[in-house]
Amino acid sequence: MAALGWLTPRRRSATARSVLAGEASAEAARKSSQEAQEAAQVAQAAQTAEQEPEFPVIGDDRAAAFFDLDNTVMQGAALFHFGRGLYKRKFFETRDLARFAWQQAWFRLAGVEDPEHMQEARDSALSIVKGHRVAELETIGEEIYDEYMADRIWPGTRALAQAHLDAGQKVWLVTAAPVEIAQVIARRLGLTGALGTVAESVDGVYTGKLVGEPLHGPAKAEAVRALAAAEGLDLSRCAAYSDSHNDIPMLSLVGHPYAINPDTKLRKHAREKDWRLRDYRTGRKAAKVGIPAAAGVGAVAGGTAAAIALSRRRR
């Protein structure tokens, strides 16, 4: 047995070197296990991605996309920017511009569409265009787009719309803004067309009244439903994009709803329904109001001050 003694390890206390060796071995084992786990997660994610259908589906002519305009496709309210352009062309006076500025400031600070403010803005716009020819406003709309709207298009949302176009699908704006403005913006962005609020005209001249009601909230959903029926679309294969909880009826209508730059209520609803979210704003404050509040109010205040100064110089 003595001869086999060398096979039996002796009990001895661990040295600093043996402790180091043990710790190094344990760390190597832990690292190897972690790397294996991460590799498995990557493989699983890749497998899941392969299983998910491509979206938008290329060549699906029964699918289309519907985009809200204000704060979804464009920063701020289209009607306000249109009002600025009309003021520049002397359609109304400084006090009216101040009212438009207040309405835009509210929109930016609140980050939501307030029905009372929107109604006031629409009433103002209708009174301003009453008696003017539709063709005249369409031409002016093209100019105003270049002056005030082109630089306010969200690149991220524009890319989403382009993805649908590249897939061979039709893309429509759906907005409470006047349809003439919406059609100009859709045309300049290369979209299919636009659904918007229709102002009454007789012999090509605005009467100052609406046809029906503003295209807002549930009315948007009804417009999308009607267009889908006319175009032979399958709404379960369509997508809709909006920033506002007011558009939940429209978003709920399609199979692929997206919350874009969402207000608080829509963000909460989207998370509950597991809808996809996209936010192209920067900073914590912007996530609430759509653009940095200071910049928004500053721009409005500066524009109003400049307008007042110009008015005084003309007197």
Side-chain angles (χ1 to χ4, degrees):
M1 294 294 292
L4 299 176
W6 63 276
L7 293 173
T8 306
R10 302 178 191 176
R11 294 185 177 181
R12 57 186 179 185
S13 58
T15 64
R17 291 176 64 82
S18 64
V19 170
L20 179 61
E23 291 177 347
S25 179
E27 175 63 20
R30 188 196 64 79
K31 185 176 180 181
S32 176
S33 175
Q34 183 178 6
E35 290 176 348
Q37 185 178 10
E38 291 175 351
Q41 291 174 347
V42 170
Q44 184 178 3
Q47 183 178 5
T48 301
E50 291 177 358
Q51 294 173 351
E52 291 181 355
E54 182 182 1
F55 186 80
V57 179
I58 296 175
D60 186 357
D61 59 3
R62 296 200 64 199
F66 303 93
F67 284 80
D68 169 57
L69 177 57
D70 294 349
N71 210 34
T72 302
V73 171
M74 181 179 67
Q75 299 177 45
L79 195 58
F80 167 75
H81 299 308
F82 190 63
R84 291 176 65 191
L86 293 181
Y87 173 81
K88 179 180 178 181
R89 290 158 178 82
K90 302 179 182 180
F91 271 65
F92 55 93
E93 299 179 356
T94 303
R95 63 175 178 272
D96 299 302
L97 181 67
R99 184 169 67 253
F100 270 103
W102 159 244
Q103 290 160 353
Q104 176 71 350
W106 171 265
F107 180 84
R108 291 187 172 190
L109 288 171
V112 296
E113 297 173 347
D114 180 87
E116 183 177 345
H117 282 84
M118 291 185 68
Q119 183 63 52
E120 185 180 351
R122 281 190 293 270
D123 291 344
S124 299
L126 287 169
S127 65
I128 290 167
V129 302
K130 182 179 179 180
H132 288 273
R133 300 197 66 81
V134 175
E136 176 190 9
L137 270 293
E138 290 174 343
T139 299
I140 291 174
E142 296 280 355
E143 299 170 358
I144 291 175
Y145 177 84
D146 290 325
E147 294 169 1
Y148 300 112
M149 300 179 184
D151 293 338
R152 291 176 169 81
I153 302 299
W154 291 108
T157 312
R158 179 68 186 86
L160 290 173
Q162 189 61 48
H164 286 279
L165 293 171
D166 291 343
Q169 297 178 7
K170 293 182 177 180
V171 178
W172 304 83
L173 289 181
V174 188
T175 174
V179 68
E180 291 83 3
I181 300 174
Q183 288 173 343
V184 167
I185 297 171
R187 184 166 55 252
R188 299 299 288 273
L189 293 178
L191 307 183
T192 306
L195 298 166
T197 298
V198 178
E200 182 184 75
S201 63
V202 176
D203 296 328
V205 178
Y206 288 112
T207 65
K209 300 178 182 179
L210 291 182
V211 176
E213 64 179 19
L215 199 68
H216 183 258
K220 281 189 179 182
E222 292 305 315
V224 168
R225 194 192 307 275
L227 182 62
E231 293 278 321
L233 302 174
D234 182 349
L235 286 172
S236 68
R237 288 146 69 173
C238 293
Y241 302 80
S242 179
D243 72 295
S244 173
H245 69 279
N246 293 310
D247 288 337
I248 288 176
M250 179 180 74
L251 294 170
S252 301
L253 201 60
V254 300
H256 301 277
Y258 284 77
I260 305 295
N261 306 327
D263 61 35
T264 302
K265 290 183 180 179
L266 178 57
R267 183 181 294 274
K268 180 181 178 181
H269 186 86
R271 285 174 173 167
E272 291 173 352
K273 296 294 184 179
D274 198 27
W275 291 353
R276 295 181 182 181
L277 288 90
R278 298 286 186 274
D279 202 323
Y280 302 118
R281 301 163 295 190
T282 58
R284 185 175 180 181
K285 177 64 71 174
K288 179 180 179 182
V289 304
I291 65 167
V297 176
V300 171
T304 305
I308 293 173
L310 287 172
S311 177
R312 286 174 177 171
R313 281 201 293 269
R314 286 199 296 265
R315 290 175 182 174

